[in-house]
Short mmCIF file of all heavy atoms in Angstrom, two decimals:
data_model
loop_
_atom_site.label_atom_id
_atom_site.label_comp_id
_atom_site.label_asym_id
_atom_site.label_seq_id
_atom_site.Cartn_x
_atom_site.Cartn_y
_atom_site.Cartn_z
N ALA A 745 138.75 88.42 72.25
CA ALA A 745 138.44 88.73 73.68
C ALA A 745 139.12 87.64 74.58
O ALA A 745 139.70 87.94 75.58
CB ALA A 745 136.99 88.73 73.90
N ASP A 746 139.05 86.31 74.13
CA ASP A 746 139.64 85.23 74.88
C ASP A 746 141.21 85.43 74.92
O ASP A 746 141.81 85.34 76.00
CB ASP A 746 139.40 83.93 74.23
CG ASP A 746 137.92 83.61 74.30
OD1 ASP A 746 137.23 84.17 75.16
OD2 ASP A 746 137.49 82.61 73.69
N LYS A 747 141.78 85.79 73.84
CA LYS A 747 143.23 86.00 73.81
C LYS A 747 143.67 87.11 74.70
O LYS A 747 144.71 86.95 75.45
CB LYS A 747 143.60 86.27 72.33
CG LYS A 747 145.13 86.41 72.10
CD LYS A 747 145.46 86.67 70.66
CE LYS A 747 146.98 86.74 70.45
NZ LYS A 747 147.26 86.93 69.00
N ALA A 748 142.90 88.24 74.68
CA ALA A 748 143.32 89.36 75.54
C ALA A 748 143.14 89.04 76.97
O ALA A 748 143.97 89.43 77.86
CB ALA A 748 142.51 90.64 75.13
N PHE A 749 142.03 88.36 77.28
CA PHE A 749 141.80 88.02 78.68
C PHE A 749 142.83 87.05 79.33
O PHE A 749 143.38 87.36 80.37
CB PHE A 749 140.41 87.48 78.82
CG PHE A 749 140.03 87.01 80.19
CD1 PHE A 749 139.61 88.02 81.19
CD2 PHE A 749 140.09 85.68 80.68
CE1 PHE A 749 139.28 87.65 82.49
CE2 PHE A 749 139.81 85.30 82.02
CZ PHE A 749 139.35 86.31 82.82
N PHE A 750 143.05 86.00 78.62
CA PHE A 750 144.02 84.95 79.21
C PHE A 750 145.46 85.41 79.13
O PHE A 750 146.28 84.98 79.93
CB PHE A 750 143.89 83.57 78.48
CG PHE A 750 142.52 82.95 78.83
CD1 PHE A 750 141.41 83.00 77.99
CD2 PHE A 750 142.37 82.32 80.10
CE1 PHE A 750 140.23 82.40 78.45
CE2 PHE A 750 141.21 81.70 80.46
CZ PHE A 750 140.12 81.77 79.61
N ALA A 751 145.78 86.29 78.13
CA ALA A 751 147.09 86.90 78.19
C ALA A 751 147.28 87.79 79.36
O ALA A 751 148.35 87.90 79.94
CB ALA A 751 147.39 87.66 76.85
N TRP A 752 146.24 88.49 79.72
CA TRP A 752 146.25 89.35 80.91
C TRP A 752 146.39 88.57 82.20
O TRP A 752 147.12 88.88 83.08
CB TRP A 752 145.06 90.20 80.95
CG TRP A 752 145.00 91.30 81.97
CD1 TRP A 752 145.50 92.57 81.83
CD2 TRP A 752 144.38 91.13 83.33
NE1 TRP A 752 145.26 93.31 83.10
CE2 TRP A 752 144.59 92.37 83.96
CE3 TRP A 752 143.84 90.18 83.99
CZ2 TRP A 752 144.15 92.68 85.19
CZ3 TRP A 752 143.32 90.42 85.23
CH2 TRP A 752 143.53 91.64 85.85
N ILE A 753 145.68 87.38 82.23
CA ILE A 753 145.69 86.54 83.43
C ILE A 753 147.15 85.89 83.53
O ILE A 753 147.63 85.80 84.66
CB ILE A 753 144.70 85.41 83.28
CG1 ILE A 753 143.30 85.97 83.39
CG2 ILE A 753 144.89 84.29 84.31
CD1 ILE A 753 142.98 86.57 84.74
N LYS A 754 147.80 85.51 82.35
CA LYS A 754 149.00 84.89 82.43
C LYS A 754 150.12 85.71 83.04
O LYS A 754 151.06 85.19 83.65
CB LYS A 754 149.43 84.43 80.99
CG LYS A 754 150.61 83.52 80.92
CD LYS A 754 150.82 83.03 79.44
CE LYS A 754 152.04 82.08 79.43
NZ LYS A 754 152.29 81.55 78.00
N LYS A 755 149.96 87.03 82.93
CA LYS A 755 150.97 87.94 83.49
C LYS A 755 150.96 88.05 84.97
O LYS A 755 151.85 88.65 85.59
CB LYS A 755 150.84 89.36 82.89
CG LYS A 755 151.03 89.42 81.31
CD LYS A 755 150.76 90.79 80.88
CE LYS A 755 151.05 90.83 79.38
NZ LYS A 755 150.71 92.21 78.80
N ARG A 756 149.86 87.52 85.55
CA ARG A 756 149.65 87.68 86.97
C ARG A 756 149.74 86.30 87.68
O ARG A 756 148.99 85.38 87.25
CB ARG A 756 148.35 88.36 87.31
CG ARG A 756 148.49 89.84 87.07
CD ARG A 756 147.13 90.51 86.66
NE ARG A 756 147.32 91.81 86.42
CZ ARG A 756 147.72 92.36 85.27
NH1 ARG A 756 148.09 91.51 84.21
NH2 ARG A 756 147.85 93.61 85.04
N THR A 757 150.52 86.20 88.69
CA THR A 757 150.64 84.90 89.35
C THR A 757 149.52 84.67 90.39
O THR A 757 149.28 83.47 90.71
CB THR A 757 151.99 84.92 90.09
OG1 THR A 757 152.10 85.93 91.05
CG2 THR A 757 153.19 84.91 89.15
N ALA A 758 148.95 85.69 90.94
CA ALA A 758 147.87 85.60 91.84
C ALA A 758 146.69 86.28 91.24
O ALA A 758 146.31 87.29 91.72
CB ALA A 758 148.25 86.13 93.21
N ALA A 759 146.03 85.63 90.25
CA ALA A 759 144.95 86.34 89.55
C ALA A 759 143.74 86.49 90.44
O ALA A 759 142.99 87.41 90.17
CB ALA A 759 144.56 85.43 88.31
N ALA A 760 143.54 85.56 91.37
CA ALA A 760 142.32 85.76 92.22
C ALA A 760 142.25 87.01 92.96
O ALA A 760 141.18 87.46 93.29
CB ALA A 760 142.17 84.49 93.09
#
Side-chain angles (χ1 to χ4, degrees):
D746 293 348
K747 183 178 180 180
F749 178 80
F750 288 103
W752 188 87
I753 292 295
K754 191 175 182 180
K755 296 178 181 179
R756 287 153 179 79
T757 57

